[in-house]
Amino acid sequence: MTPNRHGSAVIAYPSELEIVTTREFDAPIELVFDVLTKHVRHWFAPFEDKMTVCSMDLRAGGDYHMVFVTPDGTECSFRGTYLEIERPTRIVQTWLFEGWPDANAIETDILKETDGVTTLTVTMAFSDKAGRDHMNKHDGQESSFDKLEDYLMSLLGKEETP
């Protein structure tokens, strides 16, 4: 079986308002950037959840809206506005999960490639501690990253084989 990096995200809390998640992908930076920005429908919804809305206007000032539905019918809606896009190394956007209207954040995604491995560092800077305190579980993000990795591997022709 081809080894993977499932479950390998490293999560840090540098301040009471920040969460920093770092994850490596065995793929070139350009491809990781493209999958993060153009192929979101294939990996964003965690677990067995299903994407129902994936609207992205990928430019500074452009909005995004992503919705997925859990198996029990719960709708999870995320939206924001892109503030900066520097292909293929940086994306800065506002972030709001509509289930927690007080959890406004600025998300900064930084990508760096070394020897064919791209490191994604996601920094969530919340506007207040109450909003940040909602983020006490990271299994959904980890599941999405695992799906992102699996999708990258399928594009590279490196699917796992039993």
Side-chain angles (χ1 to χ4, degrees):
M1 180 178 268
T2 304
N4 63 48
R5 295 178 185 270
H6 284 197
S8 65
V10 176
I11 300 165
Y13 304 91
S15 76
E16 69 178 20
L17 298 180
E18 290 181 298
I19 302 170
V20 178
T21 306
T22 305
R23 178 70 148 68
E24 293 181 337
F25 299 95
D26 294 306
I29 192 171
E30 293 278 348
L31 181 60
V32 175
F33 186 90
D34 283 347
V35 169
L36 283 173
T37 58
K38 298 177 185 175
H39 301 256
V40 176
R41 185 172 291 280
H42 296 280
W43 63 267
F44 184 79
F47 314 114
E48 300 303 316
D49 302 351
K50 302 294 180 209
M51 287 289 284
T52 57
V53 175
C54 185
S55 171
M56 300 172 67
D57 181 5
L58 190 65
R59 62 180 176 83
D63 293 329
Y64 70 89
H65 184 211
M66 293 175 276
V67 179
F68 59 81
V69 178
T70 64
D72 71 0
T74 302
E75 188 173 271
C76 300
S77 178
F78 296 83
R79 65 175 63 242
T81 301
Y82 294 104
L83 304 175
E84 300 174 38
I85 299 170
E86 296 173 23
R87 179 181 174 78
T89 59
R90 179 179 169 90
I91 303 166
V92 181
Q93 61 205 15
T94 63
W95 178 95
L96 174 67
F97 170 57
E98 292 182 345
W100 304 325
D102 62 341
N104 291 301
I106 301 293
E107 177 181 325
T108 302
D109 301 341
I110 303 292
L111 293 96
K112 293 182 182 175
E113 181 181 353
T114 305
D115 298 327
V117 175
T118 298
T119 301
L120 170 63
T121 303
V122 178
T123 301
M124 301 286 293
F126 289 85
S127 57
D128 60 46
K129 189 166 178 345
R132 171 15 204 110
D133 286 347
H134 286 291
M135 299 290 291
N136 55 17
K137 289 176 54 178
H138 302 281
D139 56 333
Q141 182 185 46
E142 188 77 59
S143 174
S144 293
F145 283 164
D146 291 348
K147 284 182 164 184
L148 189 153
E149 176 186 32
D150 292 345
Y151 186 69
L152 285 166
M153 294 302 102
S154 74
L155 294 175
L156 293 168
K158 298 180 179 179
E159 288 109 329
E160 291 186 26
T161 54

